[in-house]
Amino acid sequence: MIGYLGIDIGSISTKGVIINEKHEILASSYLWTEGNPVKAVKEVLVELEEKIKGTDITILGVGTTGSARKLIGTMLGACSIKNEITAHAIGTLSRYPEVKTILEIGGQDSKIILLEDGIVTDYAMNTLCAAGTGSFLSSQAKRLGIDVEDFGTIALTSQHPTNIAARCTVFAESDLVHKIQMGYDKKDIVAGLCYSVASNYLNNVAKGKKISSPILFQGGVSKNIGVKKAFEELLDSNIFVDPDGHLMGALGSAILAEKNSMGRIFDFSLKDASFETMGVECKGCPNHCEVIVVKKDGKKLDAFGNRCSKGAMVK
Ligand code: SF4
């Protein structure tokens, strides 16, 4: 059976999927990046290889997306290296061809993608303020002594969500501490935080955008049913969450790998290779570009970060 591999390397999590020609997910892996995308991707490969052990799946193309897509794409000899907007849109459209709005909240960033007849018409990303992201929710859960996985269920039991200032992380955190000291019920604070994440997102990331149904909510935070409910109330609309919503970027990358495949068989033993990356200043002109050189087993694989082809010669 022919398969394609898609990898989505974010700053918080690394996701990998293997799909078949019908774009069904045959195997998936979701791990924490922990500041080391190379190690995380190697671990994802170990997991995926284990999951397809004993099958006749041959991988004929690799696609990467996410913040470390270039580095990992170079390492794995990817035939497709695309930005998150394209990958997420393609992954989501493969399951929901009618989708008009994709709300995405990940560990450290969030985005909105607007589509019309299967084409991306507008998008926005927020990588600056963490107030509306998964890492913010995790740190607040810790502060409240709650497991972040239980956040959503606890939020749903609240009848009176506490109003939490949602403008930015600093405001939200100090307001949260204030509300705890005032003696507000924990479940109401948790529900309030879910609302603050949704409203921060709508006021910042989705500001000025026309949100039309059908709306898909994805990324790690989409697993939080409290935030989903908050979006439904604030937007007065049904919000759909796919069980594989956290894998849409990887799925889109795998589909793009199929489209761009050159028929070369992917070798899982790449996970055992030793990769090295280093920043080298190009002295070719006064721009002094910081060129990232990727080496495999000591041999230069590729370089990027250069503003002209001269920089690609840096060793
Ligand atoms: S990569 Fe090109 S633009 Fe950048 S420093 Fe080298 S020569 Fe100059």
Side-chain angles (χ1 to χ4, degrees):
M1 189 196 294
I2 290 171
Y4 298 93
L5 170 65
I7 309 254
D8 178 0
I9 320 102
S11 45
I12 298 283
S13 60
T14 297
K15 289 78 70 178
V17 299
I18 292 174
I19 61 163
N20 60 15
E21 288 169 297
K22 287 188 202 152
H23 301 166
E24 293 160 337
I25 296 179
L26 306 173
S28 68
S29 169
Y30 184 107
L31 297 171
W32 302 122
T33 308
E34 289 175 340
N36 191 338
V38 175
K39 183 169 166 269
V41 167
K42 284 183 171 192
E43 283 170 13
V44 161
L45 291 179
V46 169
E47 247 193 65
L48 290 176
E49 190 184 26
E50 185 60 34
K51 285 185 180 174
I52 62 164
K53 209 167 156 186
T55 69
D56 63 348
I57 300 168
T58 305
I59 308 291
L60 284 188
V62 181
T64 60
T65 190
S67 48
R69 61 184 178 272
K70 267 202 123 179
L71 168 66
I72 303 303
T74 302
M75 273 174 49
L76 302 184
C79 54
S80 163
I81 300 176
K82 288 279 183 223
N83 63 61
E84 295 97 316
I85 302 294
T86 308
H88 276 267
I90 288 185
T92 311
L93 282 165
S94 73
R95 291 197 175 178
Y96 304 91
E98 309 293 324
V99 63
K100 290 208 160 146
T101 309
I102 300 172
L103 315 175
E104 216 260 350
I105 307 185
Q108 225 163 37
D109 57 16
S110 36
K111 55 180 109 41
I112 181 168
I113 308 174
L114 305 182
L115 304 104
E116 206 55 64
D117 300 324
I119 291 167
V120 175
T121 54
D122 196 7
Y123 69 89
M125 282 183 85
N126 178 21
T127 51
L128 295 177
C129 178
T133 65
S135 57
F136 169 72
L137 273 181
S138 301
S139 56
Q140 301 320 312
K142 211 181 245 173
R143 189 188 291 273
L144 289 163
I146 292 171
D147 214 335
V148 75
E149 276 78 32
D150 300 331
F151 231 71
T153 1
I154 294 172
L156 290 194
T157 61
S158 164
Q159 298 297 319
H160 308 285
T162 308
N163 197 9
I164 310 264
R167 245 179 314 153
C168 78
T169 324
V170 181
F171 275 110
E173 273 180 359
S174 65
D175 200 30
L176 176 79
V177 172
H178 176 65
K179 296 287 158 60
I180 295 170
Q181 286 163 349
M182 297 264 296
Y184 280 83
D185 196 312
K186 215 182 239 188
K187 66 177 183 302
D188 294 336
I189 294 179
V190 169
L193 272 169
C194 292
Y195 272 89
S196 85
V197 165
S199 86
N200 178 284
Y201 176 94
L202 294 174
N203 291 327
N204 292 310
V205 189
K207 194 177 178 185
K209 307 269 181 233
K210 188 171 174 280
I211 297 180
S212 315
S213 297
I215 306 168
L216 255 293
F217 176 28
Q218 54 202 36
V221 176
S222 66
K223 303 277 173 212
N224 184 320
I225 45 177
V227 179
K228 174 182 179 275
K229 180 173 174 250
F231 270 129
E232 284 180 327
E233 288 186 9
L234 291 167
L235 293 170
D236 192 21
S237 176
N238 272 335
I239 306 280
F240 299 97
V241 175
D242 187 280
D244 293 327
H246 57 300
L247 298 172
M248 285 300 156
L251 173 61
S253 293
I255 295 171
L256 284 160
E258 180 190 24
K259 286 192 202 317
N260 295 288
S261 170
M262 288 176 287
R264 210 173 35 189
I265 297 174
F266 176 70
D267 182 2
F268 272 96
S269 68
L270 266 178
K271 67 183 189 311
D272 305 317
S274 136
F275 291 96
E276 193 192 342
T277 57
M278 59 172 99
V280 182
E281 190 182 292
C282 174
K283 295 192 170 63
C285 84
N287 278 334
H288 296 288
C289 297
E290 166 97 348
V291 181
I292 308 294
V293 178
V294 185
K295 291 186 178 177
K296 180 185 158 216
D297 298 325
K299 241 177 89 189
K300 183 178 160 189
L301 265 188
D302 205 353
F304 51 88
N306 44 307
R307 277 187 243 170
C308 77
S309 55
K310 214 166 156 187
M313 308 309 286
V314 167
K315 289 201 184 359

